[in-house]
Amino acid sequence: MLTLFHAPRSRSSRIITLLRELDALDKVEVEIVDITRGDGSGRKDPANPHPEGKVPLLVHDGVVLWETIAIIQYLTDLFPEKRMAPHAGDPQRGRYLSWLAWYAGVVEPVLIAQAAGVSHPYFDATFRGPTEMAARLEDALKDSPYLMGEHYSAADLLLHSPFAWYPAATPDSAVIKDWVERCGARPSLQWTADFDARVAAVA
């Protein structure tokens, strides 16, 4: 049994989108929970088993998974048919896993620091900055439509998401902007937006 704890219009919306891409939504029970949001609204929901009251949280046969990266990797391995990730043993597997780790270890810290107006030499030396982040993406996309080449993957779903959510953070690069637009045109994104709107209206 798979259960996803989800709050509409939050980081867990990416997991709803992934499940739609994997054609696996009928195999997952989606539990809607409240979360504390950046504008001060919401609350820590007692119905959410996440110890910090966050989402996404996935429970599979009693095993609890937290953190978006872990959940993406787990689900793409669990439902390999749609080829949203290279399988174990594929020569491209390492590249794919590196993009997921790079998102968590570099992209989110850099974007959050940029939004907060925070800058420090220690931070820049560890995580790099917006210029280096943009250069890395641009280099990966200059000769192919997606991060893994010709095929859209969960790496694209994840890495384009902050720019879709907050367009002002998108680097001033035609290559990157075209990629964000290409990823954002996936029908799964619109499906998730409609799903979240319905859920939010009921809540």
Side-chain angles (χ1 to χ4, degrees):
M1 178 185 232
L2 280 160
T3 303
L4 174 69
F5 290 85
H6 167 61
R9 298 170 181 149
S10 74
R11 280 178 167 83
S12 62
S13 295
R14 296 178 293 198
I15 304 303
I16 296 291
T17 301
L18 176 62
L19 288 168
R20 179 72 175 177
E21 289 280 358
L22 294 170
D23 196 22
L25 273 165
D26 62 335
K27 302 174 181 68
V28 180
E29 182 179 353
V30 178
E31 292 284 349
I32 305 302
V33 294
D34 201 0
I35 57 170
T36 303
R37 298 185 183 263
D39 62 2
S41 64
R43 66 190 175 101
K44 186 175 180 180
D45 195 330
N48 182 3
H50 194 295
E52 298 165 26
K54 295 183 176 184
V55 290
L57 186 83
L58 183 72
V59 181
H60 188 195
D61 292 338
V63 177
V64 177
L65 293 92
W66 66 99
E67 297 299 328
T68 297
I69 311 307
I71 293 171
I72 286 176
Q73 185 176 338
Y74 191 84
L75 288 173
T76 53
D77 286 350
L78 193 62
F79 302 108
E81 297 84 5
K82 296 295 181 179
R83 296 177 55 237
M84 285 295 286
H87 58 78
D90 188 302
Q92 290 296 307
R93 177 73 169 182
R95 179 178 175 85
Y96 165 76
L97 294 177
S98 294
W99 280 125
L100 297 190
W102 187 69
Y103 175 84
V106 174
V107 175
E108 278 225 351
V110 166
L111 291 179
I112 290 171
Q114 184 181 21
V118 174
S119 179
H120 191 280
Y122 285 177
F123 186 95
D124 295 342
T126 301
F127 299 107
R128 282 74 82 192
T131 300
E132 292 84 358
M133 179 194 72
R136 189 73 176 274
L137 285 172
E138 196 166 39
D139 185 62
L141 295 164
K142 65 184 180 183
D143 297 320
S144 60
Y146 299 109
L147 294 172
M148 296 299 297
E150 296 298 316
H151 183 68
Y152 176 81
S153 73
D156 297 288
L157 188 159
L158 175 66
L159 271 94
H160 105 280
S161 63
F163 308 119
W165 186 266
Y166 185 54
T170 306
D172 188 17
S173 160
V175 169
I176 296 174
K177 289 178 179 179
D178 287 348
W179 167 69
V180 171
E181 184 176 353
R182 198 157 44 244
C183 293
R186 302 283 297 185
S188 59
L189 270 293
Q190 186 58 55
W191 191 93
T192 299
D194 294 342
F195 174 80
D196 277 355
R198 291 195 304 270
V199 168
V202 171

